[in-house]
Amino acid sequence: MLTGHGDDAYRYEREIIADFSTNVWHGGTPAGLKAYLWENMDRIERYPQVLAENLTQKIVKHHNLAAEQVLVCNGTTESIYLIAQLFSGSKTTILTPSFAEYEDACQIFNHELSYLPWLQALEMPQLRSDVVFICNPNNPTGRYFADLQFWIKRSPGCIFVIDEAFIDFTEGLESAIDLVKKYRNVVILRSLTKTYSIPGLRLGYLLANDEIISQLTAIKQPWTVNVMAQAAGEFIFEHYDQVQLPMATIWKAKAEFVNQLRQNEAIVVEESETHFFLCKTLVRNAAQLKDFLIQNHGILIRDAGNFRSLTRQHFRLATLTPEKNQLLIEALKAWTKLHY
């Protein structure tokens, strides 16, 4: 899906003053990162390391893995398409609703697709698929599986592709990375773009057993991760303890935001364990609401009507600053007064 994602402010002439459509951390890049990139600007005069070897070593040390278990990619999207290519023609299950690129990538590589609704997936049924894609925590719902080990053991013939792009925005959810060391049927996708506000650089990595990594490396295009993205990743892992999210601040802002939203009788707010969450408008639809907010208030939301199994009334919000959150609260009051 080339279009239809969030963060599409560039498509509108109206200035956007508050962007709730993207679930990237709104606080900006870590202190010192931009200066570091500027200091390393000369690196653009040379080709990047083919497999981001320096960054790979830092990831290896951070996660206590072997180099043969790590592959750095051009964002999680490249990881998804590589997995889909490697397992071309497989019987694949996708939990829904979820990130559209799983389905798009699998369709390109002729997977036989089936869909498992999230509530049914919570029962962890035995899977007869070759591959399953699980976004944990899930985009767009913000819900998560607390422990996937039972399911992985129950379906040993299925490759579990676990996308942890938003795990840093949760409390109480531990990564499944240690399961890579225990099971041969686990692939973990990690993103550095969401937590560290560098989506324009495109940077992520995947973790799996040595055989899967070797097979993925064999089909991977060279130089997909540019030198500035590699430099950013090196900086992040060199300063890891200093660049983590202020989760107490984020959760306090989210709680206040959700509480105010729920006072609007025309808006339904769904439960979420992340800083982003789904809502429904009880009047008209999300596309019309999005247009109203852009044209009248310079506010952007994510119309979630194109997620499989969601409705035209669904939209997704991310928590911003209390000041910007209040702008949306007031704008939604205007929407309700006009239509409810």
Side-chain angles (χ1 to χ4, degrees):
M1 183 169 62
L2 292 179
T3 60
H5 296 287
D7 200 15
D8 56 350
Y10 67 92
R11 302 179 64 189
Y12 303 98
E13 295 182 3
R14 176 73 152 82
E15 178 187 3
I16 301 300
I17 59 175
D19 185 356
F20 294 87
S21 74
T22 173
N23 35 29
V24 172
W25 162 235
H26 68 80
T29 55
L33 175 57
K34 291 179 181 178
Y36 181 82
L37 293 178
W38 183 252
E39 292 168 4
N40 283 270
M41 187 61 67
D42 287 349
R43 289 170 64 168
I44 68 172
E45 299 173 1
R46 300 180 298 277
Y47 278 90
Q49 294 176 357
V50 175
L51 292 173
E53 286 85 351
N54 286 354
L55 176 54
T56 297
Q57 287 304 316
K58 294 184 185 299
I59 295 170
V60 163
K61 182 178 179 181
H62 179 76
H63 291 302
N64 192 27
L65 294 169
E68 294 77 19
Q69 295 174 299
V70 178
L71 185 62
V72 178
C73 292
N74 182 266
T76 297
T77 300
E78 185 189 15
S79 299
I80 293 167
Y81 279 76
L82 283 172
I83 291 290
Q85 181 179 353
L86 178 62
F87 297 105
S88 177
S90 294
K91 293 182 179 179
T92 297
T93 297
I94 299 173
L95 274 60
T96 59
S98 202
F99 188 40
E101 296 302 333
Y102 308 142
E103 180 175 350
D104 292 350
C106 288
Q107 287 178 337
I108 289 174
F109 293 102
N110 302 310
H111 289 236
E112 183 181 330
L113 290 174
S114 60
Y115 305 95
L116 182 62
W118 186 265
L119 290 179
Q120 293 181 30
L122 291 176
E123 300 175 4
M124 298 188 181
Q126 186 169 6
L127 296 170
R128 293 177 174 81
S129 304
D130 303 308
V131 180
V132 60
F133 281 91
I134 301 173
C135 192
N136 198 43
N138 189 38
N139 175 28
T141 65
R143 308 307 299 269
Y144 64 66
F145 288 89
D147 186 2
L148 287 166
Q149 185 167 202
F150 169 78
W151 205 3
I152 291 166
K153 291 172 64 176
R154 190 175 188 185
S155 303
C158 182
I159 300 293
F160 282 74
V161 182
I162 305 169
D163 184 351
E164 295 186 342
F166 301 101
I167 194 167
D168 293 329
F169 294 94
T170 65
E171 288 186 328
L173 175 61
E174 293 187 6
S175 171
I177 287 174
D178 282 346
L179 300 182
V180 170
K181 306 171 187 177
K182 298 175 63 175
Y183 301 99
R184 304 287 290 180
N185 63 327
V186 176
V187 178
I188 306 293
L189 310 184
R190 296 299 294 261
S191 169
L192 295 174
T193 64
K194 313 297 190 301
T195 303
Y196 307 107
S197 299
I198 53 170
L201 285 180
R202 314 303 307 131
L203 183 62
Y205 56 96
L206 59 83
L207 310 171
N209 69 64
D210 55 350
E211 181 180 1
I212 289 178
I213 294 296
S214 177
Q215 292 172 336
L216 290 169
T217 302
I219 62 175
K220 188 180 188 296
Q221 296 181 31
W223 306 307
T224 61
V225 183
N226 69 70
V227 292
M228 290 291 95
Q230 292 186 30
E234 293 161 14
F235 177 92
I236 287 166
F237 283 101
E238 287 169 4
H239 301 83
Y240 191 80
D241 291 339
Q242 292 78 48
V243 297
Q244 297 311 295
L245 294 169
M247 286 308 303
T249 301
I250 292 171
W251 278 105
K252 182 176 184 293
K254 181 200 169 180
E256 294 173 352
F257 188 28
V258 168
N259 182 57
Q260 291 186 76
L261 285 169
R262 285 182 169 152
Q263 295 176 31
N264 188 322
E265 57 189 0
I267 303 296
V268 175
V269 182
E270 300 188 7
E271 294 294 331
S272 162
E273 284 89 25
T274 62
H275 70 304
F276 61 85
F277 47 91
L278 281 177
C279 297
K280 287 178 68 176
T281 174
L282 298 182
V283 291
R284 303 211 172 182
N285 59 52
Q288 292 167 320
L289 172 58
K290 178 180 178 180
D291 183 66
F292 170 85
L293 291 172
I294 291 171
Q295 300 302 326
N296 295 280
H297 299 276
I299 292 174
L300 186 62
I301 63 171
R302 170 66 157 94
D303 176 2
N306 60 352
F307 281 94
R308 182 179 288 274
S309 82
L310 295 186
T311 71
R312 296 175 63 210
Q313 283 67 46
H314 277 98
F315 60 99
R316 192 192 66 203
L317 301 176
T319 304
L320 301 184
T321 64
E323 294 76 19
K324 289 187 176 179
N325 294 343
Q326 192 61 41
L327 292 177
L328 180 57
I329 295 295
E330 297 305 320
L332 288 174
K333 288 179 181 178
W335 166 261
T336 300
K337 183 177 182 180
L338 185 64
H339 297 293
Y340 195 61

